[in-house]
Amino acid sequence: MKRLSLLLILIFSTNCQSQINSKMSASKTNPLLCDPETGTCEMPANEKTYENSAIPTENKPVKIIYYTDPICSSCWGIEPQLRKLKLEYGTYIDIDYRMGGLLPDWSYNSGGISKPSDVAHHWDAASLHYEMPIDGNVWIEDPLDSSYPSCIAMKAAQIQSKDKAVKFMRILREKLYLEKKNIAKWENISEAASLAELDTKKLKSDYEGDAKLLFQEDLNYARTLGVRGFPTLFFSDGTNNQLTVYGSKPYASYENALLALYPEAKKKKIANENPLSLFEIYPTLAPKEYAVLLDISYDEAKDILENLFKNGELNKKSIKNGVLYSRK
């Protein structure tokens, strides 16, 4: 039964990937024109075709290689699903965050995007689609020249601590999507690093040195795995069994991939007796995240969080396309 289920998922994944690759090879793709229908921020197609290589596991039964980018709006869109996967199945998975380099520079000119300000309304649309707070006006007020600086900063953070690096990227994204901060600028990177309790002096040293090499390794490995867009998650049980979830998908897609590779995994129940308990794990939560984590409706999540805010138990940051709540 496991082999049959695995085979069906593999066939489905392969077919979807081939359709995407075919579509992308037909026309030049602008990496910042993220498609809500596919749930991806796609890179320009590379003419050379690569074959997936085996991904070894480490300390846990399933390894997940997660290709992302700090400025990937579709990746921000799967934060609810990814956070839920960690809570329910964290015992069984190791997630290896790899940086994709979504925007090397502004040499792209396709899909109606030729300059930073063209991205603004696309991000506003993505915010409404994913129900996650994004203010696209950063591309008008303080646009980024490249996503490479934030990718390199993430690799520098990982040298210090993988856990703090994940926290660091979350803070970077909140600064970008809600505060309209240009996270290609060192002052904003440094501020996020301080909030993530990283050593900023070491981060700067690694940022200017080893982190650049590590980022290049990520780019090279992406070509080996055939990464064509973000988010892309490769699930592996350490053998030749490997599943790919490409783009923003419902939570069940990520859960099913894990269970196909490791059926013995037992879901951990997320406690919901105390409405504030999730904030002990995740200091900031959007209503969509709260809803997905607790399997409740978006409107119900909004009502609960808003009542907690009115009672003085949470802080709240409001932007034109949504809100983010944080613990006091």
Side-chain angles (χ1 to χ4, degrees), residues 109-173:
N109 184 5
S110 64
I113 294 179
S114 60
K115 58 186 182 299
S117 60
D118 294 333
V119 183
H121 76 275
H122 290 291
W123 270 26
D124 289 339
S127 178
L128 297 176
H129 178 80
Y130 296 119
E131 298 180 302
M132 288 289 285
I134 304 175
D135 190 335
N137 281 0
V138 64
W139 294 104
I140 297 171
E141 298 172 14
D142 193 5
L144 291 74
D145 293 328
S146 170
S147 71
Y148 276 33
S150 57
C151 286
I152 295 169
M154 261 299 292
K155 302 314 294 183
Q158 287 175 340
I159 292 173
Q160 292 189 43
S161 166
K162 290 183 178 181
D163 290 338
K164 287 184 179 180
V166 174
K167 181 180 179 182
F168 172 60
M169 185 158 68
R170 173 72 185 204
I171 295 170
L172 280 177
R173 283 174 165 161

Side-chain angles (χ1 to χ4, degrees), residues 29-36 40-44 69-74 101-106 108 110-111 113-123 126 139 143-147 176-177 230:
T29 303
N30 192 305
L32 289 176
L33 187 60
C34 300
D35 186 353
T40 56
C41 298
E42 297 176 342
M43 295 292 288
D69 188 290
I71 76 165
C72 167
S73 58
S74 295
L102 180 61
L103 180 67
D105 53 47
W106 277 98
Y108 301 101
S110 64
I113 294 179
S114 60
K115 58 186 182 299
S117 60
D118 294 333
V119 183
H121 76 275
H122 290 291
W123 270 26
W139 294 104
L144 291 74
D145 293 328
S146 170
S147 71
L176 174 66
Y177 295 125
F230 316 110

